[in-house]
Amino acid sequence: MKQHLSHTPGPIGVFDSGYGGLTILNKIREALPEYDYVYLGDNARTPYGTRSFEIVYEFTLQAVNKLFEMGCHLVILACNTASAKALRSIQMNDLPGIDPERRVLGVIRPTVECIGGITQSRHIGVLATAGTIKSESYPLEIHKLFPDIQVSGMACPMWVPLVENNESQNEGADYFIRKYIDQLLSKDPEIDTMILGCTHYPILLPKIQEYTPKHIRIVAQGEYVAESLKDYLSRHPEMNAKCTQNGSCLFYTTEAEEKFVESASSFLNQQIDVRRISLE
Ligand code: DGL
């Protein structure tokens, strides 16, 4: 694999199982507009949240390799499920053989780092896919930094399908949005901070706010991930030099192009050019 990869600088890769990573990409582009980006959505195989560890790892590694082949030296897994289930294995076991100088970063750590300064009650809730909740990544990472915080998790298996099927603003969505929030808060009524631990969920934010008591702070990840990437690039000039800066953004999907354009336009305020690719 190593010998096929170009050493010339390239765009920053942003990967998600579907459209959710666009919420992260938007914030990253707001914070770092001068860089070039390639977004890859594995829409044909979404959702990842209900899939096994092995499959999420296999699909994520395929996506990372594809982004490396496209010239990326740095890839952001803009997906909590992939960050929870595949990031560590890719960093530890795969990158040394692919190219030890390339980097893959996730979205969980930057989110967790901010949480200690936000919660007053030291009781937080995490809303995420079944895969992310089952991995226990959030409580494990939070307790490394803030052992005093009590973490309750709630899997929301219906939320990603609502987004991927363009149902997020429709009435039918209300039932499932309210249901998971109520279940989470009944587990721990002292929760004062709720992490949206899935990159699809900010698209549901207006309805999530409607069903969340006003004193609870809702934390979406985009800004924290963008700040953390900015900080990473300033601390790693050698990686920064490998990231081109012409302000461009290309989009790739594993699904039909028309489908991606139609759905993505609801949360991207621009005309996009998207190409279909295969990861298998
Ligand atoms: N957007 C992804 C996440 O942050 C996963 C959604 C899915 O494919 O289930 O977890």
Side-chain angles (χ1 to χ4, degrees), residues 15-21 24 42 45-51 77-83 107 128-132 157 160-161 164 196-201 221:
F15 168 69
D16 182 42
S17 62
Y19 303 111
I24 302 287
D42 191 6
R45 303 190 293 192
T46 198
Y48 279 16
T50 43
R51 293 185 186 272
L77 300 184
C79 173
N80 290 266
T81 311
S83 300
V107 288
T129 65
T132 300
V160 170
E164 290 288 322
L196 304 187
C198 171
T199 56
H200 281 67
Y201 297 174
Q221 305 175 285

Side-chain angles (χ1 to χ4, degrees), residues 125-181:
V126 179
L127 297 155
T129 65
T132 300
I133 295 298
K134 214 167 159 205
S135 75
E136 299 268 322
S137 293
Y138 271 97
L140 288 170
E141 290 296 326
I142 288 170
H143 289 145
K144 276 187 207 159
L145 299 180
F146 312 107
D148 62 315
I149 292 180
Q150 190 161 318
V151 187
S152 303
M154 178 56 60
C156 312
M158 290 302 291
W159 286 11
V160 170
L162 288 173
V163 173
E164 290 288 322
N165 293 294
N166 256 337
E167 292 288 341
S168 60
Q169 311 307 328
N170 297 341
E171 267 172 41
D174 291 60
Y175 172 81
F176 287 106
I177 290 174
R178 181 177 200 161
K179 176 178 170 176
Y180 300 139
I181 293 171

